Each structure stands twice: as C-alpha cells, then as structure tokens.
Amino acid sequence: MSALSSDPSAGPASSRPSATGSSSAGPSWATWCAALGFPLLGILVGTLGLFFTGAAFPQLVGDSGVLGRFGLPAARFVFETAAAITAAALVLATFVIPRAAPRRVRHKDRKQSSAAGGFEGDGESDVELDRGWLAAIGVAQASSVVWTLSAAAVLVLTYVDVAGSQAYSGDLSAQLAYFVSSLNVGRYWTFIVVVVAFVSTLVFALRSFAGIATAMVFSFAALVPLALMGHSTGAEGHTTAVNSIGLHLVGIVLWLGGLLVLALIARSLTDRTDLRTIVERYSALALFSFVLVVYSGFVNASLRMGSLADWTTPYGVVMLVKLALTLVLGGIGFRHRRSVIAGLGAPTAGGAGRGATGSAGRGASAPETGPSARGAAPRRLFWRLVGVEALIFGAVMALGVVLSRSQPPVPDEPPPAPTPAEILTSSPLPPRPSWGTYFTQWEWDPVWVVVAVGLSVAYVYAFLKLRRRGDAWPVLRVVAWVLGMVLLFWVTSGGPAVYGKVVFSGHMIQHMLIVMVVPIPMVMGAPITLLMRAIAPRRDGSRGFREWILILVHSRYLRFFAHPIVACVNFAGSLVVFYYSGIMQYALATHLGHELMMLHFLAAGYLFAQSLIGIDPGVNRFPFPVRLLMLLITMAFHAFFGISIMSNTSLIEGDWYGNIGHDWGFSALEDQQTGGEIAWGIGEFPAVLLAIGVAIQWTKSSEREAKRSDRAADRDEDAELRKYNAMLSRLKEHDDSM
C-alpha cells in the first residue's frame, strides 16, 4: 500500500491588496507551505520513518539497493502528491469554482452550440473564463506532467524493487519488458502510466465543462490499480482490504489534493467576494473526505492489527502517529467550519465581484470590491490554517509511504496451507447455509456500506431541509428509500454476499435481490425529484451535484438506456448473457468484475422499475396498459430463464462451484438446480409489487383526469357534453329521415 492507499485569468474582483495591506500575507504563507514546506517535511518525516521501521536497512537476500530502499519511496511520494493535486484540481474545476460568469445565450447561439456538439455555456470560444478556474486548470496541467513522469519512474523502480539484486545484471530492457507484460504488478503500473498520460493530454487539450469532467473521471480511474495492488490476492479479507484502500484513495485525493490546490491558487482567490462560497463547497467535500479517511483507515487497520500488542510494534507506532495527525487535521477543518468561514464574507449565489479572463488571457473589467478591513483578519487566519494543514499533510503522506514499505504485524500473505475455498475466495468456508446463517454471516464491503449509509443520510438531510422550509414530502417515500438502502447493505455485505461466492444458489439469491427487489423501494423514493426540490440551482457559472446529475439524467445516452423497451431488454437479456457467455467467471474470480456486476444489475433493475412505476424525470414512460403488458412479457421471459437453469444438466462455472470444497450434503449440480428455482420464485413477488404499483398509478391518473374534466365542465358549463348530445341528435334525425 501507499500513502494514498495505506492503512488507513485576469484578476479577482480586485487584483489590488485590501486597504489593510495584509490580505496577501495569508495567501503567500499558504502557497509557500504547499510548494516548499509540504515536500520538505514529507522527506524528513519519511526518511526518519523508514529508518524507524527498518525499511531503510539493506535486506540480507536480494536487496534492491539504494534505488529500491530510498528511490522508490521518494518516487511514490511525488507520484501520490501529484495524483492528489491533479485529481483534486479537476474536482474543484468541475464542482466548486465557477468556470465563467453566467450569461444569457440567444436562441441562435444556442442552436449553433448544439450543432457543434456542445451545450449552453460549455464550449463557446468567446466565453471569458474565471481567473480562479483557469488557475486550477493550470495547477492540474503542471501536476499532471509531474504525475506522468513520476508514474514512469515508479514503474521502473518497482521493477528494481521486485527483481532485487538481479535488476542490476542481465539485459535490463528485456527484463523490464517481461515485468510489464507478464507480472500483474507490472501490468497495473503500465496501465497507470498510460491513463495518467491520457489525463494529462485531456487537461492540456480541453477547456469545456464536459471535457474537464471527463479528465476528472479518468484521473480517478488511474487510482483503481493502486487499490487492487494494495492487498495480496488470496490473503484473508481481500475484498474488505481492497475496497477500504479505494475509499482511502478517494478521501485523501479530495481532502489533501483540494487543500494543496487552494493553497497554490490562493492569490487568485483571496480578494474574491465569493471566497466564502468556494471555501464552503470545498469544506463540505473535506468533511466527507475526513469521515471517509477515518472509516477506511479503521477498517484497514483492523485487518493488519491482530492484538493490542501489535500497536507497540514500529508499524503500529507509525500508524498511531499517522492517526493522531489525521485527527489534528480534522480539528483544523472543524475550526474552519465553526470559526473562520463565517468571517470570510456573506455567501454568494451568483459569484458577484469575480474577475474573469478570456481564453487568450484578456482581462475583463469588474467592480473593485476587495475584502473590507473587517474581513481581512479572518481571511488571513484562514490562509494560515491552510498552510499549517498543508505542512501536516506532508508528514501524513510520508508516513503512508513508510507504512507501504513496512511489514504489518498481520502478514499480508495467503495462508501457508489454504483450503479450496480460501484459494478461490480468499476467505474461509462459512457454515452450512440456512435461513439463520443468511442473517448472521457478514463480510462487509466498505464501498457499498458507504454508498448505502451515505445515500440514506443525504436523502434524510434533503427531506429535513424541505420540512424546515415548509414544503411537503411524503414520509412513505423516505421509508421506502431507507428500506432500499438497508436491503442494499444486507445484499452486499450480509449472507447473500458471503454465500454468493461459495454456492450457486447463494449467488442467485444475491443476484435476484440486487436486480429485482432492491431497486423497487429506491424508485419509490423518487431521489431525483427530491434532489431538484431540496437543492437550489447554481447561478454563478459553476455546476454542483444537482446540475451534473440533471445533465446525466437528460443526456441522450442515459435516456437511451432508460427507454422502456431498452430497459426491458437490458433487464432480461443481461441475465442470459451473464450466465451463458462466460462473463460470470470474471465476476467470481476478479474483484473489479464482481463490483461491476453488482453495479450493472442494480442499474438495470433500477431503470426497469423506473420505466414502470417511477416518477423521476428522464424516462418517456408508456401508457399504463402497455406497462402492464411489458411487465408480463418480461416476467414470462424471466420464468423461462429460471426453468432453463433448473433443467440444465451441465454446471455453470463448474471450475468454481464444483471445486469449492464444501461437504454440505448436496452436489454442485443439485445446488444449481436450487438456484434456478430461486430465480423463478424470487421473481414472482417483485412482479406482483410492480403490477400493484402500476395499477395504483393508473387509478390515480384516472382520478386526476376525471377531476380535470369536471373542472373544465364547470368552466364551460358542460360545452363538451352539449356538443356530444347535439351530435347524437343529428344522427337520430338522420336515421329517422331514411
């Protein structure tokens, strides 16, 4: 593991300093601490830590020399710092800092922008970009170059560390080629180098909102191999360890990287009247990241510390110091939120007083509204706290590198004599499955725990915000959403997750629940509608979660997959493709494949339920009779799928389920037939619920239509009825005349 993955352009509103002459002192302090203090303290603490844990001393056999013992940790420190700065700068440019002052777009301009493949305010060449936004992109450009070079250096030095003394003999190019093509660690680092270079290219080439957001997504994709390399495959708790490392990565990037970027672009932000708004947005991300870092660090430490005595080892002492410094950083962040941010000025919705600059560096005029003397002291204190935070973070990052180079008390190695279940699943064989064990056996998946708990908290917070504002929101929707999150937590971390890896029937239970049961209460909660009502739209030229989610919901790609016919085909067809094409092997044997399987089937089930009973935007739903027909056809296909598994006489993924090594009184083929029965049986109950939901919505729609007709009749005194009666009279007269 590493520090990231270890245990856990013209000016502002006024480019002149304020009347007090002190506004520049704070930013200068923060910038120097980030640019010089952070790396210097990191080098000092890291070197001391390597000697304290013994990682700096030569190994008796196969020592990789100075390059391996000191060069690799130094390269990792640079790599991880550059990764955090690049990704965080892109996050700030995507979610926090206004890209440009908002402007009205004429209908003609909007049509031209659409014809060019863009959308309003996203790619026009004449838009004057905000100085702070350009400064963040400039930091991302510089750090992405460092990130690319340091990734290549880490690749070579990792080979030196793995090869040991043999790295200095023989044909280096041939040995390095073998390393990057044949060993997993070499492949992972090669992938990282390629993705990081691609991110750097995007940052230099693009200036649109969508382009920078794309670069941000790829910057986080480059971190995935770090999590996968952070724990040995085959060692116990592999899933928990890898996912906790991944969460640690995200938390450190958002928290540390965002802090360093703010410090580096401080001079572009300090005199802005919307500084408080920007800091509040970052502070919310930092608070989430702090919780993420502490939680993931605790989970990871529980895997590496077997007893209290382990905390007295050099590894344990370093971890305790790292934890203490993390808590100090959390305390500084708490002071930011409680004592300092309020003094930065009033929060602004429109970013008044921001300067802007064009893409060619042209200055735009703006009112000179620098900070008042009253606000100078809080601003100076804020930037000094940022500088102190940056210094402490240098030590935390270095200690993370030290931990990645040190041997933990609980070895990160597979057991010496693993059972078949441990070889395949990296976990001991659980007890024989029963109704009780499905609720008593747990293997927490930290990522899905964060998803379930985080979305529950966010939903309840939005609900309470509406209630405080005096707006109504049905309590049953809150209950439905929380119920869906509880089910999601159990399916991904409880008995279905434990037994899904060892018996086919357990896998089918987990699969059917995630695709058919969990999405129903989620759709009933109407989260997108709640989001639109609870969060006000931004009007300062930036985009928050509300804006990005609505862009995704209304994008042509998501609308295609949300189309009722496509959703039905995806829902039913994915089952056949998954179980009969061999893809299931990747979901069983690889960690990333399993997580992607869960995400795909949760999304497929959600879109299918959304097309039938949802009320959120983004779906062109069919009339109610057609919805019931779609449900009937899909469920009939699902029943035939279950029957096909029941009647199958050959094992699906027999190399896995046939060699798991249990002795529970039934064969793998009998268990597979049981799984087919489960696939057939579980589908009946959700189908009934969906049919009832469609019927209820149909009834309510008919009632609303009847009330609308009654109101229209009251307004025009039954004109439509009189017209209809007159038509009948004319028809009768016509018949009588014949």
Side-chain angles (χ1 to χ4, degrees):
M1 292 180 307
S2 61
L4 288 180
S5 61
S6 64
D7 314 296
S9 263
S14 174
S15 58
R16 301 177 306 177
S18 65
T20 64
S22 60
S23 64
S24 62
S28 298
W29 163 259
T31 303
W32 282 112
C33 284
L36 292 180
F38 175 90
L40 291 177
L41 186 60
I43 292 172
L44 176 61
V45 173
T47 303
L48 294 176
L50 288 173
F51 279 103
F52 178 74
T53 61
F57 299 116
Q59 308 214 355
L60 295 178
V61 179
D63 182 64
S64 58
V66 176
L67 284 178
R69 287 183 278 114
F70 293 99
L72 180 57
R76 288 296 295 263
F77 181 80
V78 175
F79 168 84
E80 292 161 358
T81 302
I85 293 175
T86 304
L90 296 175
V91 169
L92 294 182
T94 303
F95 291 100
V96 175
I97 303 176
R99 177 178 176 269
R103 69 185 184 93
R104 294 184 179 274
V105 180
R106 295 175 302 172
H107 180 68
K108 177 181 178 181
D109 296 335
R110 186 181 296 112
K111 290 177 63 178
Q112 293 175 349
S113 176
S114 300
F119 45 87
E120 180 179 341
D122 191 42
E124 303 90 335
S125 60
D126 62 335
V127 169
E128 295 179 338
L129 301 179
D130 182 86
R131 182 191 180 190
W133 193 86
L134 284 175
I137 298 301
V139 168
Q141 290 176 335
S143 59
S144 68
V145 174
V146 177
W147 192 14
T148 304
L149 297 176
S150 60
V154 172
L155 170 63
V156 176
L157 292 173
T158 300
Y159 156 72
V160 172
D161 187 60
V162 171
S165 57
Q166 296 181 0
Y168 304 101
S169 61
D171 187 352
L172 176 61
S173 59
Q175 293 175 355
L176 186 60
Y178 176 81
F179 174 73
V180 301
S181 62
S182 302
L183 299 183
N184 282 336
V185 63
R187 295 193 190 104
Y188 283 141
W189 276 109
T190 303
F191 174 82
I192 291 173
V193 172
V194 172
V195 175
V196 171
F198 180 64
V199 169
S200 183
T201 303
L202 291 180
V203 173
F204 277 95
L206 302 175
R207 284 296 177 275
S208 67
F209 250 134
I212 296 303
T214 301
M216 179 198 69
V217 172
F218 277 100
S219 69
F220 281 94
L223 305 179
V224 173
L226 292 177
L228 297 175
M229 290 187 291
H231 194 263
S232 297
T233 302
E236 185 174 350
H238 180 69
T239 297
T240 303
V242 169
N243 282 358
S244 63
I245 292 170
L247 294 176
H248 211 70
L249 285 165
V250 174
I252 289 293
V253 164
L254 293 177
W255 188 10
L256 164 67
L259 181 76
L260 292 178
V261 173
L262 287 180
L264 292 173
I265 66 173
R267 288 189 175 276
S268 300
L269 300 178
T270 185
D271 290 333
R272 300 169 65 114
T273 57
D274 64 341
L275 175 62
R276 176 176 174 178
T277 300
I278 292 174
V279 173
E280 283 180 336
R281 291 170 183 172
Y282 163 73
S283 181
L285 288 175
L287 176 61
F288 170 75
S289 302
F290 172 74
V291 175
L292 212 57
V293 168
V294 172
Y295 164 70
S296 59
F298 171 79
V299 172
N300 212 278
S302 67
L303 297 174
R304 303 183 182 279
M305 297 294 175
S307 63
L308 291 177
D310 291 339
W311 292 96
T312 62
T313 62
Y315 188 96
V317 171
V318 172
M319 182 176 286
L320 285 175
V321 174
K322 184 172 180 283
L323 175 61
L325 292 178
T326 302
L327 294 178
V328 170
L329 291 170
I332 295 176
F334 179 77
R335 184 174 182 185
H336 279 165
R337 294 186 66 86
R338 295 297 299 269
S339 305
V340 180
I341 293 180
L344 298 179
T348 59
R354 290 186 292 103
T357 194
S359 58
R362 301 185 306 272
S365 61
E368 296 187 357
T369 55
S372 64
R374 177 186 176 190
R379 288 170 182 251
R380 186 169 61 253
L381 176 59
F382 167 75
W383 289 118
R384 287 182 177 177
L385 286 175
V386 167
V388 172
E389 248 185 308
L391 283 173
I392 298 175
F393 252 126
V396 172
M397 288 279 288
L399 292 177
V401 174
V402 171
L403 291 173
S404 71
R405 300 292 296 167
S406 306
Q407 181 66 33
V410 177
D412 180 16
E413 299 294 339
T419 64
E422 289 173 331
I423 294 174
L424 292 173
T425 69
S426 302
S427 300
L429 192 67
R432 177 179 176 137
S434 65
W435 282 105
T437 57
Y438 267 89
F439 294 95
T440 57
Q441 294 295 310
W442 295 87
E443 185 178 346
W444 285 25
D445 187 325
V447 168
W448 289 106
V449 170
V450 169
V451 170
V453 175
L455 291 181
S456 297
V457 172
Y459 193 100
V460 173
Y461 173 79
F463 167 72
L464 294 177
K465 186 175 181 179
L466 283 182
R467 294 292 293 265
R468 286 193 300 267
R469 204 167 64 196
D471 295 338
W473 186 261
V475 177
L476 287 179
R477 290 184 184 174
V478 182
V479 174
W481 180 263
V482 174
L483 175 61
M485 293 300 100
V486 170
L487 288 172
L488 179 63
F489 167 69
W490 177 63
V491 170
T492 55
S493 299
V498 173
Y499 289 103
K501 297 188 297 183
V502 296
V503 287
F504 186 90
S505 59
H507 175 86
M508 190 59 71
I509 289 175
Q510 184 186 33
H511 191 165
M512 291 300 104
L513 290 175
I514 200 72
V515 74
M516 301 196 69
V517 178
V518 174
I520 295 178
M522 292 177 61
V523 168
M524 293 172 62
I528 305 301
T529 303
L530 177 64
L531 175 72
M532 291 191 299
R533 294 186 57 184
I535 301 180
R538 292 189 184 180
R539 305 188 185 280
D540 64 344
S542 67
R543 287 180 183 166
F545 289 102
R546 182 186 194 273
E547 287 73 21
W548 283 112
I549 289 176
L550 290 181
I551 287 173
L552 290 175
V553 167
H554 294 290
S555 67
R556 56 185 177 183
Y557 307 105
L558 195 57
R559 291 181 72 88
F560 169 78
F561 286 104
H563 190 279
I565 295 179
V566 177
C568 289
V569 172
N570 186 28
F571 175 82
S574 294
L575 297 173
V576 177
V577 173
F578 180 76
Y579 283 97
Y580 289 106
S581 68
I583 295 178
M584 184 178 179
Q585 169 64 25
Y586 297 98
L588 292 172
T590 65
H591 176 81
L592 186 59
H594 173 76
E595 299 297 340
L596 291 176
M597 175 203 73
M598 299 294 291
L599 181 62
H600 168 79
F601 283 106
L602 179 64
Y606 184 87
L607 292 176
F608 176 67
Q610 187 72 256
S611 68
L612 295 175
I613 61 172
I615 64 171
D616 281 338
V619 181
N620 295 324
R621 298 176 182 87
F622 288 154
F624 292 103
V626 180
R627 297 189 204 180
L628 289 176
L629 179 61
M630 287 171 45
L631 176 61
L632 179 62
I633 295 174
T634 306
M635 290 301 102
F637 180 87
H638 188 272
F640 281 114
F641 166 75
I643 294 173
S644 70
I645 294 181
M646 291 169 54
S647 58
N648 197 342
T649 57
S650 60
L651 283 177
I652 299 175
E653 299 305 331
D655 290 341
W656 185 278
Y657 291 115
N659 296 315
I660 206 67
H662 68 76
D663 186 17
W664 291 334
F666 52 82
S667 66
L669 185 58
E670 291 172 336
D671 179 68
Q672 179 175 295
Q673 293 170 349
T674 303
E677 296 173 359
I678 291 171
W680 187 7
I682 287 183
E684 300 301 322
F685 180 65
V688 172
L689 290 180
L690 289 172
I692 293 175
V694 173
I696 292 175
Q697 289 188 356
W698 193 354
T699 301
K700 291 183 177 180
S701 176
S702 299
E703 292 176 352
R704 288 193 298 269
E705 181 64 23
K707 292 179 180 179
R708 187 195 66 79
S709 299
D710 290 342
R711 289 194 298 269
D714 292 338
R715 288 194 301 268
D716 58 19
E717 297 180 353
D718 286 336
E720 185 175 352
L721 180 60
R722 292 198 305 272
K723 183 178 179 180
Y724 179 72
N725 290 333
M727 181 192 68
L728 293 178
S729 298
R730 288 195 300 273
L731 290 175
K732 184 176 183 301
E733 293 175 357
H734 180 269
D735 292 340
D736 292 342
S737 63
M738 293 182 65

